[in-house]
Amino acid sequence: MTLPLQPQQLHHPCDPEQFGFQTTADLEDMTEIIGQMRAMDAVHFGAGIRHEGYNLFVLGPSGIGKRSMVRQFLEKKAVDEHAPDDWCYLNNFAQPHKPQALRLPPGRGAKLRSSMEQLVDYLRSAIPALFESDEYRAKAGAIQDEFGKRQEQVFKELGEDAEKQEIVLLRTPDGFAFAPTRNHEVIPPGEYEKLPNEDKKRVETAIANLQERLEKIMRQMPQWRRERHERVKQLDRETTLSAVGHLVDELRETYADLPEVLKYLDAVQQDMVDNVDDFRKQEESTTLDGMTIVTHQSFHRYQVNALVTNGEKPGAPIVSEDNPTYSNLVGRVEHIAQLGALVTDFTLIKPGALHRANGGYLLLDIRKVLVQPFAWEGLKRALQSREIRIESLGQMYSLVSTVSLEPEPIPLDTKVILFGDRLFYYLLQEYDPEFGELFKVAADFEERIERNADTHLLYARLIATLARKENLLPFDRGAVARVIEHSARLADDAERLSTHMRGVVDLLREADYWAREASHGTVQAADVQRSIDTQIRRQDRLRDRLHEAILRDTLMIATQGEVTGQINGLSVIDLGNFAFAQPTRITATTRLGEGELINIEREVKLSGAIHSKGVLILSSFLAARYAKNQPLAFSASLVFEQSYGLVEGDSASMAELCALLSNLANAPVKQSLAITGSVNQFGQAQTIGAVNEKIEGFFDICAARGLNGEQGVLIPAANIKHLMLRHDVVAAAVAGKFRIYAVENVDQAIAILTGLPAGEANAKGEYPEGSINCRVAARLAELTKIRQSFAKQSGKKSGAKKQTE
């Protein structure tokens, strides 16, 4: 005979007297991590190994604190590591659309940017001042005078030679011309025609010779202008160099240890000298559609785009990107609108998370990465090539035609750490062949830890640490014990504690609130219990409505009397942060047939795969036990009454089997009892989940209708270690008003449900008279005989028909 469980088996309390402290204020902070040695060893290994592909994937459900634990570990580790180099983008004076990447020691990038800004700011005023100086004007004037005098001298000599030949050199609006003279006066055309031919010929010959000399001079004048321009330009260079040279030389001394910077400074100096007019004319005006637009020289090409600077904080960077879009990961090139067009330059290159985490650690949520278009592929491409290449998605896929840049790629050396549920990890392992090559280290965090005296004390220190961190009141020993008990309930195991830190922290915060509301100096067990109760109260509207429907007989659930082929199963409804159970009526009917077991839920596609599997196991059990040497001559139907949604899981298979046996044996089942449990082909009871919620769900209905001492729940014996029932359920068990039975097999279950012995088979396979198994076997034998008689009659009719024919 199976006896009810003892009250001490229904709840495994945490004794406050085991603690040597009065409140958590007496305890030290936690320095170690509870129960996550396997995962933290993997994190330690993955963070330390520097070979390609050894990035980490941290597995585990959300809320267990895996991100904070990993970050805490990395912060301690990163402090002792070298700060990574700075990265800058510089103007490529030869190819402006391909900015150059520059690597600098930590902190030097910002200094170079500041140095270049100061240089340009100074030159913007210094260079115009130099060109406005008297010295420059004098030198430029001297050059102009020199070339002017040379030109005047040549024309003077030409004019003197012409006078000697009685010809004058005239300056006209159309240029130069020669004319004959007499007594130093130009001969009018009429008089010239009266001259003798001999004089005319002399004049014409002289003018032709002079004209030839003039043309030669005129051909030399553009060359003289070029020489003058080059002389002025050389003067401009020398003047500019006098302002730029010593400043750039100072920068060369500052960055003498960086050859790439020296090379860049040479290019800057040369460009400034070549484009000195930009400094002299810093404003330009253009007219467009009647509007005058004034533009100012920005001198962007001399700026330094300090993409990443790492000199402010010691150690390696730890970057967490909460919005991992493609551009937020690998960087982007921004554009600005200018006169109706989108333009860009190297100063508009913006860094991504990979740039900021280069040389350190990048923390990402895998779900967020996967839902962003191109982000996952962009991340993998960067890790595979070990470089960060900024590419515009619009240009990559020919979506836009704006001018863009091709920045030089930056070498990548970062440790990427992905966080996510186990489902994401296993799906990526299965369907993404590149995933295993890039993320070779998995850190799998536990949801539960072993419960014993040592972990009780560790949990108390954890509560103390969290209370101080959150500025909460100290928790007394009773409150700590109640939190530990609730943690075991969250773990669904009396021998384990939950590591779901989010739930624990929420409970501590709410307990602190209620303690302050009650003007308590410390948080007490009653405050913790009130927090638990209010958490449930905020979410139990649906449970109350379903229980109300049962109590008003809208949903038909009997808690007294006996009915054949009808049993109370228990089903769980999970609402995310809150789960509850309710009784469900399961009925079974049997009839003459050919061994067909109809699962009505499956027929209408309301049965999940696991539930359908459990029903098929019932058919196998019945055939193995009662029809080893004969066919099953019955058909049966099973249904969850008043169930209008999907039924999944096999935790009702024991109830379904008992309902079938009740119908076959014609033995009524006590409706004051409910049962949960899975069953295998040998009739053994198997463990199920949410056992506490299921017991409490049936208890609440019975308590609302009035406890009479006959009510109770049957559970698999393997679930005893999971029991952490509410105190009111335990109190009812102590008072003998409610009972919990632990069964190991279907025989024990059916005996309790019907009050009849199940019966064990003897050596001949026969069961004791009056037992459930005997009655089932007898009923099946009866159905077999009926079926055989039908078969004989059918055979005789078939033979008679053939003889007639």
Side-chain angles (χ1 to χ4, degrees), residues 138 140-151 228:
I143 294 172
Q144 295 289 351
D145 290 345
E146 177 184 342
F147 281 91
K149 288 178 180 178
R150 178 190 296 183
Q151 182 175 327
R228 182 185 63 186

Side-chain angles (χ1 to χ4, degrees), residues 397-464:
Y397 293 95
S398 301
L399 300 177
V400 295
S401 58
T402 56
V403 176
S404 191
L405 304 177
E406 299 176 22
E408 181 182 353
I410 291 177
L412 176 63
D413 179 22
T414 189
K415 188 73 69 173
V416 177
I417 304 173
L418 298 178
F419 296 85
D421 293 338
R422 295 185 178 93
L423 176 63
F424 289 112
Y425 177 80
Y426 294 122
L427 285 175
L428 288 170
Q429 282 282 21
E430 181 69 21
Y431 295 108
D432 191 337
E434 298 170 339
F435 176 75
E437 299 176 3
L438 298 174
F439 294 89
K440 298 181 178 181
V441 182
D444 199 348
F445 275 71
E446 297 282 358
E447 295 104 318
R448 305 184 303 174
I449 60 172
E450 186 176 351
R451 180 183 175 186
N452 52 45
D454 293 335
T455 53
H456 281 182
L457 183 57
L458 287 174
Y459 223 81
R461 289 178 58 196
L462 173 64
I463 294 171

